[in-house]
C-alpha cells in the first residue's frame, strides 16, 4: 500500500502574499465594489474563511495593498533623490522612477486608483496622497538647490513647501493615471513634459532671451 503523503501547509506569510496578489488582479479587473471576497478567494485558491484569518474586511485588504505599493514608491523616490548632482537632476530622477514603477505595475495602479473617487476608497487614497506630499516636501526642504522662493527662511516657508509638494505630487499622479489610457506615448516623453511643467514652468526661453510657450509634444505613431 502506497504511503499517504500529507499536503504541506503553506506558511502564513506566503498565504498572505498569495491573497494580496489575487486581490490585486481582481480589483484591477472588477473595481473595488465589483470585486467580492469570494472572487478573491477563488483567484487565490483559498477559502473565504482563510482570507478573514489575515484581513478583517475587503476594505482592510485593499488598504494593505495600497500601503505596500505606496511604501515601494516612497522607497524609490528617496533613492532617486540621492542620485544627481543638481536639484533638476534629482527631480528628473524622481519623476522617472515613479513613472517606471507605474509602467512596471500597471495592473496594481489600475487596481488601487481606479476607484479613488469612491467614498469608501477615497479616505485610503487621500491618506497615501498625504504621505506622498510629506515625502516630497521633506526632499524639497532638505535640498540645498531648492527654488529660491522655497529656500528662503520665513514663517510661511513650511506652507510654501507643502503647497509646492502638493502641486508636484498631484500633477505627476494625474499624468500617471492619464497614461493608463494612452500607453502608446513613450515613457521619456512624459518625463520631459513633466519636467517642463514642474521645473521650467509652462513657458521656456529661446534664443534672444524672450519667452515663448512650450511647444506641444511630438508623438510618434505607435508601432503596428
Amino acid at each position: 500500500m502506497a504511503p499517504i503523503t500529507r499536503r504541506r501547509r503553506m506558511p502564513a506569510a506566503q498565504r498572505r502574499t498569495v491573497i494580496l496578489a489575487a486581490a490585486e488582479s481582481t480589483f484591477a479587473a472588477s473595481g473595488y465594489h465589483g470585486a467580492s471576497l469570494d472572487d478573491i478567494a477563488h483567484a487565490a485558491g483559498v477559502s473565504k474563511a482563510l482570507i478573514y484569518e489575515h484581513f478583517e474586511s475587503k476594505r482592510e485588504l485593499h488598504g494593505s495593498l495600497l500601503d505596500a505599493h505606496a511604501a515601494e514608491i516612497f522607497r524609490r523616490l528617496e533613492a532617486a533623490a540621492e542620485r544627481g548632482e543638481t536639484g533638476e537632476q534629482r527631480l528628473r530622477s524622481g519623476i522617472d522612477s515613479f513613472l517606471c514603477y507605474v509602467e512596471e505595475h500597471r495592473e496594481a495602479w489600475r487596481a488601487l486608483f481606479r476607484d479613488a473617487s469612491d467614498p469608501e476608497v477615497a479616505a485610503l487614497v487621500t491618506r497615501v496622497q498625504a504621505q506622498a506630499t510629506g515625502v516630497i516636501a521633506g526632499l524639497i526642504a532638505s535640498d540645498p538647490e531648492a527654488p529660491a522662493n522655497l529656500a528662503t527662511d520665513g514663517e510661511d516657508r513650511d506652507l510654501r513647501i507643502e503647497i509646492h509638494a502638493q502641486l508636484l505630487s498631484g500633477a505627476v499622479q494625474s499624468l500617471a493615471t492619464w497614461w493608463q489610457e494612452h500607453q502608446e506615448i513613450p515613457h521619456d516623453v512624459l518625463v520631459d513634459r513633466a519636467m517642463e511643467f514642474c521645473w521650467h514652468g509652462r513657458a521656456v526661453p529661446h534664443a534672444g532671451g524672450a519667452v515663448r510657450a512650450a511647444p506641444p509634444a511630438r508623438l510618434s505613431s505607435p508601432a503596428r
Side-chain angles (χ1 to χ4, degrees):
M1 184 175 178
I4 297 175
T5 57
R6 294 186 177 180
R7 186 177 178 181
R8 290 189 61 185
R9 185 177 177 86
M10 186 183 295
Q14 188 176 349
R15 285 201 306 272
R16 182 182 176 91
T17 299
V18 169
I19 292 170
L20 286 170
E24 182 176 304
S25 59
T26 305
F27 285 135
S30 304
Y32 179 77
H33 285 292
S36 69
L37 287 180
D38 287 320
D39 296 331
I40 295 170
H42 178 74
V46 301
S47 68
K48 184 176 178 179
L50 186 58
I51 292 181
Y52 280 118
E53 290 184 16
H54 295 270
F55 305 97
E56 292 184 356
S57 63
K58 184 173 71 170
R59 179 186 175 88
E60 183 184 336
L61 175 54
H62 187 274
S64 296
L65 268 176
L66 195 61
D67 286 341
H69 285 285
E72 175 60 17
I73 290 172
F74 298 156
R75 186 194 67 77
R76 292 195 185 196
L77 287 177
E78 290 172 344
E82 297 177 359
R83 299 192 295 269
E85 297 180 356
T86 67
E88 181 175 1
Q89 290 173 347
R90 286 189 286 273
L91 176 59
R92 174 177 287 275
S93 180
I95 293 174
D96 178 69
S97 294
F98 173 72
L99 292 177
C100 277
Y101 183 87
V102 172
E103 190 170 23
E104 294 166 10
H105 300 84
R106 288 194 183 278
E107 188 171 85
W109 186 262
R110 187 183 306 111
L112 299 174
F113 292 97
R114 63 177 289 174
D115 298 311
S117 61
D118 187 287
E120 195 167 342
V121 178
L124 297 173
V125 175
T126 297
R127 175 171 55 80
V128 171
Q129 289 172 332
Q131 290 175 332
T133 299
V135 170
I136 294 170
L139 295 175
I140 293 172
S142 62
D143 187 353
E145 297 184 9
N149 65 315
L150 302 177
T152 54
D153 291 330
E155 293 183 0
D156 65 341
R157 180 174 184 262
D158 289 345
L159 177 60
R160 283 181 278 130
I161 288 177
E162 183 177 354
I163 291 173
H164 192 82
Q166 183 65 51
L167 288 169
L168 177 57
S169 174
V172 179
Q173 180 183 314
S174 178
L175 182 64
T177 300
W178 176 84
W179 195 21
Q180 290 288 338
E181 305 302 326
H182 302 81
Q183 295 183 25
E184 74 279 5
I185 298 179
H187 172 107
D188 290 345
V189 169
L190 295 186
V191 174
D192 289 342
R193 292 299 172 261
M195 283 299 297
E196 287 179 4
F197 179 80
C198 297
W199 185 265
H200 302 293
R202 299 190 64 178
V204 297
H206 67 95
V211 174
R212 60 179 174 77
R218 293 184 176 182
L219 306 180
S220 55
S221 301
R224 299 183 180 276

